[in-house]
Amino acid sequence: MTTLYQDHLTVLQQRYEAALTHFQCDAVVLASGHKQYYFQDDHTAPFHSYSGAQQWLPFTLSAETYLIIEAGKKPRIVWPIRDDFWHAPNPVPAGEWQDSWDITPARRDDKWFQGLPEKCAWLGPEPQDFAYVIPGFNTYVDFAKAVKTPYEIAAIQRASVRGAKGHLAARDAFLNGLSEFEIHLAYLQASQQTANQEPYPSIIGVNEHASVLHYEHKDFDRSANPLTLLIDAGATEHGYASDITRTFTKQDDEFRALVKSLDSAEQEMAKKALSGMSYPELHQEALRTIAGILQDHKICSLSVDEQISKGITQTFFPHGLGHLLGLQVHDVGGFHQDVLGTRREPDANAPFLRLTRTLEENMVLTIEPGLYFIPMLLDKMQAEIPQHGCNMALIKQLIPYGGIRIEDNIVVKDEAPVNLTRQAFSECEA
Ligand code: GLY
Ligand code: MN
Ligand code: MN
């Protein structure tokens, strides 16, 4: 019986062989990349391998590793050997994966690439020969990455469980009055990772900070009156990310009722991630749902249709409903309609939407509606839309709470999408 990993490799081999045929190449090299030094410094940025290379291996890939894929041949991995007593050694990981690969150890000045076929493509940074740069090859293989193999879904599922453990610890830290920094430490401890291993810098915003969409600071001071915690944080399993947001509240009040409404609406939206559904259409439905919540909670007295025609809803929900998820948090190929990279741009009223594809079974994506009180956007709305119908006195009371985002990771299915995030929380809370 084959393993999930072996089946995954077979799928990748087929996808890449189709690309090799299309571009009339004999081989493709995928390079993990190099460590990058900061300007005039001997300190490097945290290393993240090129995701296209990482996709092929069931462990976290290190720098200066090269994969060589040729039609009909066992894939080859060129493994970096270093005589370096400054850093920890980088042994070839043990495991069954080795049966599927030819492993070539190489020192930095070994000329392993001199034996490559003449018609060779290079994906990843720093090609050895610019003749290897084949325009369009990257786009061609990126298109297929949206649909995940069972091996990839299992990795995202494990990343979701680690993320859920972190979120529950963060919630408890918030309810105990700890600072953003302390909440972050609790998150890292429970999700078993260092900050550099997070798939993206976690967003941990207490009170008004919850209204900053990509708030990346961590306040060291504890809030005197903590009302809200918005935490958007994930975990990584050999490159595959989870991307989870929860909004926790301290008091049983109008803001908590708003969180509850958005949480229910988000779960309904996630159920619509079905094969054949247009994601831009789902985003338009989300705008209408949020307009309904604004009306129900008496934040805006205009009807859903009036709010939509005046563009009121985007004041409170300015970002996209979600994006593809995988080896990159905002995974590649979200705008591509085919292997040649034909793009569909988002609708004019949704400029920040990152996914314009029609959904297919086993795509993995996020559903992440938000509802924020962002002073800059509220000022703009008041200046530009005189008949906005919003209850500014109520909004003034809600501004100190910042905002709400609820984000789950969903596997698209023909009938019932799988909500990896809700499953992960259920498992951790059981
Ligand atoms: N964590 C970034 C995002 O949700 O898209
Ligand atoms: Mn996201
Ligand atoms: Mn997120």
Side-chain angles (χ1 to χ4, degrees):
M1 209 180 75
T2 54
T3 63
L4 282 186
Y5 174 65
Q6 285 162 341
D7 292 344
H8 170 74
L9 266 190
T10 303
V11 170
L12 291 191
Q13 193 87 32
Q14 285 163 354
R15 289 179 185 172
Y16 276 73
E17 286 184 11
L20 288 170
T21 303
H22 180 85
F23 290 96
Q24 299 182 327
C25 291
D26 297 316
V28 52
V29 176
L30 297 108
S32 72
H34 291 72
K35 289 186 177 172
Q36 300 287 340
Y37 285 87
Y38 294 115
F39 185 62
Q40 287 192 339
D41 203 333
D42 64 0
H43 186 195
T44 64
F47 177 74
H48 290 281
S49 65
Y50 161 51
S51 58
Q54 178 62 69
Q55 189 180 24
W56 288 79
L57 289 150
F59 48 82
T60 304
L61 209 52
S62 52
E64 299 177 52
T65 310
Y66 304 89
L67 317 182
I68 303 165
I69 314 300
E70 291 183 65
K73 285 198 185 170
K74 217 177 195 187
R76 183 149 70 98
I77 183 164
V78 179
W79 193 268
I81 301 293
R82 303 280 175 263
D83 300 317
D84 174 0
F85 53 82
W86 295 98
H87 298 100
N90 176 35
V92 178
E96 279 185 5
W97 73 274
Q98 290 198 11
D99 299 341
S100 307
W101 288 84
D102 281 334
I103 302 171
T104 307
R107 291 198 153 70
R108 212 167 253 154
D109 49 7
D110 285 353
K111 300 276 187 261
W112 57 267
F113 47 87
Q114 286 185 343
L116 291 175
E118 197 180 323
K119 288 171 83 180
C120 180
W122 185 285
L123 300 182
E126 300 178 37
Q128 297 290 338
D129 181 337
F130 279 97
Y132 295 157
V133 178
I134 310 290
F137 201 110
N138 218 23
T139 304
Y140 193 103
V141 292
D142 281 354
F143 181 72
K145 286 177 182 156
V147 174
K148 271 45 183 189
T149 63
Y151 158 88
E152 292 177 301
I153 292 170
I156 299 172
Q157 170 75 75
R158 290 197 298 280
S160 302
V161 171
R162 296 217 343 262
K165 286 181 181 162
H167 276 260
L168 293 173
R171 176 199 62 190
D172 293 346
F174 163 69
L175 294 177
N176 286 325
L178 301 190
S179 69
E180 291 169 354
F181 173 69
E182 291 167 312
I183 296 168
H184 189 206
L185 293 182
Y187 180 80
L188 294 173
Q189 170 79 32
S191 59
Q192 285 293 285
Q193 58 189 327
T194 68
N196 285 343
Q197 290 169 327
E198 289 184 288
Y200 55 92
S202 52
I203 297 163
I204 297 180
V206 170
N207 296 356
E208 286 97 333
H209 295 162
S211 74
V212 181
L213 300 182
H214 282 173
Y215 174 78
E216 288 181 7
H217 300 288
K218 310 285 185 295
D219 206 331
F220 285 84
D221 296 328
R222 295 180 181 183
S223 165
N225 182 24
L227 299 165
T228 322
L229 168 66
L230 186 154
I231 169 164
D232 180 346
T236 308
E237 285 280 327
H238 52 78
Y240 290 91
S242 58
D243 178 12
I244 303 171
T245 310
R246 287 292 180 267
T247 307
F248 300 112
T249 58
K250 224 161 176 168
Q251 300 168 6
D252 193 5
D253 57 10
E254 177 55 29
F255 187 81
R256 179 175 283 179
L258 209 48
V259 175
K260 208 161 166 252
S261 294
L262 191 68
D263 187 69
S264 305
E266 185 270 345
Q267 293 183 65
E268 292 309 309
M269 291 174 202
K271 289 180 190 155
K272 295 185 181 164
L274 294 164
S275 314
M277 193 69 199
S278 144
Y279 199 79
E281 182 55 36
L282 275 186
H283 178 84
Q284 294 301 326
E285 285 187 24
L287 280 171
R288 295 185 67 79
T289 301
I290 287 170
I293 293 175
L294 293 171
Q295 197 185 21
D296 290 348
H297 288 262
K298 305 199 172 0
I299 293 169
C300 183
S301 61
L302 302 187
S303 69
V304 168
D305 285 339
E306 284 173 308
Q307 287 187 52
I308 296 296
S309 70
K310 291 187 173 187
I312 303 283
T313 321
Q314 287 87 341
T315 300
F316 300 92
F317 173 41
H319 57 74
L321 178 61
H323 49 84
L324 293 172
L325 177 69
L327 287 157
Q328 296 181 17
V329 167
H330 299 148
D331 212 3
V332 292
F335 299 105
H336 294 173
Q337 308 300 303
D338 55 38
V339 287
L340 302 180
T342 308
R343 277 177 72 90
R344 173 173 168 183
E345 301 304 329
D347 298 332
N349 72 351
F352 301 115
L353 188 63
R354 295 172 190 266
L355 176 52
T356 56
R357 287 172 70 159
T358 298
L359 303 188
E360 292 172 51
E361 186 160 50
N362 293 332
M363 280 183 171
V364 177
L365 47 80
T366 69
I367 296 285
E368 50 178 304
L371 200 169
Y372 313 88
F373 302 98
I374 304 173
M376 183 198 298
L377 297 185
L378 291 164
D379 289 348
K380 187 166 180 287
M381 177 190 75
Q382 290 178 94
E384 293 176 2
I385 313 174
Q387 307 296 318
H388 52 68
C390 290
N391 180 345
M392 295 313 297
L394 174 58
I395 288 172
K396 206 167 160 206
Q397 287 170 29
L398 294 171
I399 284 175
Y401 294 79
I404 310 164
R405 182 162 63 255
I406 310 287
E407 176 174 27
D408 286 346
N409 304 163
I410 310 296
V411 188
V412 175
K413 292 289 173 192
D414 293 341
E415 282 171 8
V418 179
N419 189 324
L420 296 174
T421 313
R422 300 278 165 175
Q423 276 185 354
F425 275 103
S426 302
E427 194 178 308
C428 296
E429 283 169 323

